[in-house]
């Protein structure tokens, strides 16, 4: 098959959600948490979490909580 010189399309946006800039890598410690990486897929903020210091977020088709101080938006 022919090889394309074009980059892959960007991941779909999450309408109505704010995209966060990931400052530090965070690897999930349990099932409620979401792993995030500065050079990873886009992270979208769903809203505040019921856990102080955490945010509900969505990335790469998954949803979970992330540390608030690991992102800025």
């Amino acid at each position: 098959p022919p090889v394309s010189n074009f980059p892959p399309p960007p991941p779909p946006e999450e309408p109505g959600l704010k995209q966060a800039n990931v400052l530090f890598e965070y690897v999930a410690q349990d099932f409620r948490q979401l792993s995030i990486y500065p050079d990873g897929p886009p992270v979208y903020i769903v809203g505040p979490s019921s856990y102080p210091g955490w945010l509900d977020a969505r990335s790469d088709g998954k949803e979970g909580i992330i540390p608030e101080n690991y992102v800025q938006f």
Side-chain angles (χ1 to χ4, degrees):
V3 175
S4 171
N5 291 331
F6 296 104
E13 299 254 336
E14 293 277 356
L17 297 182
K18 196 179 299 188
Q19 186 171 342
N21 180 30
V22 178
L23 303 174
F24 309 106
E25 176 179 315
Y26 181 78
V27 178
Q29 304 295 309
D30 71 31
F31 70 94
R32 291 177 294 256
Q33 300 173 5
L34 186 65
S35 295
I36 57 173
Y37 308 93
D39 57 353
V43 175
Y44 298 93
I45 303 305
V46 176
S49 167
S50 56
Y51 301 96
W54 294 78
L55 297 168
D56 286 325
R58 190 177 297 154
S59 180
D60 201 26
K62 301 180 191 90
E63 197 162 318
I65 58 173
I66 59 172
E68 197 169 19
N69 57 345
Y70 279 53
V71 296
Q72 70 179 19
F73 45 90

